Amino acid sequence: MRLKDKVAIITGAASGFGEGIARRFAEEGSRVVIADLNAESGARIAAEIGASAVSIRADVTSADDWKALIQEAVDGFGRLDIVVNNAGYTHVNQPMMDVPESEYDRCYAVNVKALYLSAMAAVPVFRAQGSGQFLNIASTAGVRPRPGLVWYNSSKSAAIGVTRSMAIELAAEGIRVNAINPVAGETPLLTKFMGEDTPEKRAAFRASVPIGRLSTPSDIANAALYLCSDEASMLTGVCLEVDGGRCI
């Protein structure tokens, strides 16, 4: 029960890494707000977790939706301790000059602007409590870029910079800010990362990971659990690669 009595908002929690984090946090005693554009899947996961979970449809690029998320957590569970910015977006793997402006804008809105909006909404609550934390799911793409993903890569570099910058500014107020940099994993974004889902492409991606496999929701959830637990109370500004050696 490493998160006993904690309350966490997890974005993009209707699938992939976010779903894994929501389930793991609930197992460890946290109450969770599952936020996702896919309301049906979010509601199903909340029902499977039980009374310690609620779901809400939310667009992380909307300031109004962030206000509603914070209100849901505070009204429903009495407080807010953790915000996991997991929701992410990528353009299809392709030459940088072929990516439409709308796809570039969406990448930066979901992967970067959402961090700003989460801070605007959650920091006042954390300040009033005297504690709180953000966990941003960035990517190894922000550390060791892959070809064909220029604008996605750069958005994740920005997310890493935001994490470190927020951490140093908020540390004295008891607010921790960390990130996880996962290597490519079995999530709904994988096909776009690869450009096409073929055995050859999957083999090439696996071959780029020294440990020999892609990441799983469980890998990311276990790292998230540690960083958001009191065991990591001395850690802020950490951007932890969960990557099987990819960034070495």
Side-chain angles (χ1 to χ4, degrees):
M1 304 297 283
R2 293 156 77 186
L3 299 179
K4 189 176 186 299
D5 298 328
K6 303 286 188 184
V7 176
I9 291 172
I10 303 159
T11 67
S15 63
F17 295 153
E19 178 183 352
I21 293 168
R23 293 184 184 277
R24 190 75 180 97
F25 278 23
E27 290 171 356
E28 292 288 337
S30 178
R31 290 161 291 176
V32 296
V33 178
I34 293 169
D36 204 287
L37 283 172
N38 189 333
E40 184 178 348
S41 291
R44 173 183 56 80
I45 292 163
E48 290 173 0
I49 291 174
S52 63
V54 296
S55 69
I56 182 170
R57 186 188 184 280
D59 179 350
V60 296
T61 68
S62 164
D64 287 341
D65 282 13
W66 268 107
K67 290 174 186 174
L69 273 175
I70 302 300
Q71 203 65 46
E72 180 75 22
V74 174
D75 288 351
F77 295 128
R79 59 183 293 112
L80 176 64
D81 300 285
I82 302 163
V83 173
V84 180
N85 284 304
N86 166 76
Y89 186 81
T90 184
H91 56 82
V92 173
N93 190 314
Q94 60 188 304
M96 58 179 282
M97 301 298 286
D98 294 344
V99 176
E101 184 179 355
S102 60
E103 288 287 273
Y104 168 89
D105 286 343
R106 185 67 178 163
C107 269
Y108 270 78
V110 175
N111 298 345
V112 185
K113 184 181 180 181
L115 306 184
Y116 165 83
L117 294 175
S118 73
M120 294 300 105
V123 166
V125 176
F126 291 161
R127 281 176 168 160
Q129 292 175 173
S131 66
Q133 57 184 302
F134 294 92
L135 178 65
N136 300 323
I137 307 303
S139 175
T140 54
V143 180
R144 189 178 179 192
R146 292 179 186 271
L149 292 168
V150 167
W151 310 118
Y152 171 78
N153 295 338
S154 61
S155 74
K156 291 302 187 178
S157 294
I160 292 167
V162 168
T163 298
R164 290 174 170 158
S165 298
M166 283 179 59
I168 197 63
E169 183 155 327
L170 298 174
E173 299 181 78
I175 301 171
R176 296 194 294 119
V177 189
N178 292 300
I180 292 173
N181 297 330
V183 76
E186 295 290 348
T187 76
L189 296 182
L190 181 59
T191 298
K192 284 188 172 184
F193 290 147
M194 295 188 296
E196 57 179 345
D197 194 349
T198 66
E200 293 76 18
K201 281 282 187 181
R202 283 178 174 262
F205 265 64
R206 282 195 301 272
S208 72
V209 183
I211 213 167
R213 66 173 177 85
L214 301 182
S215 66
T216 67
S218 180
D219 294 324
I220 308 310
N222 285 328
L225 171 62
Y226 170 65
L227 287 174
C228 291
S229 74
D230 290 341
E231 295 165 16
S233 63
M234 192 59 174
L235 300 186
T236 196
V238 167
C239 298
L240 177 65
E241 275 86 50
V242 182
D243 68 346
R246 160 93 180 145
C247 292
I248 294 172

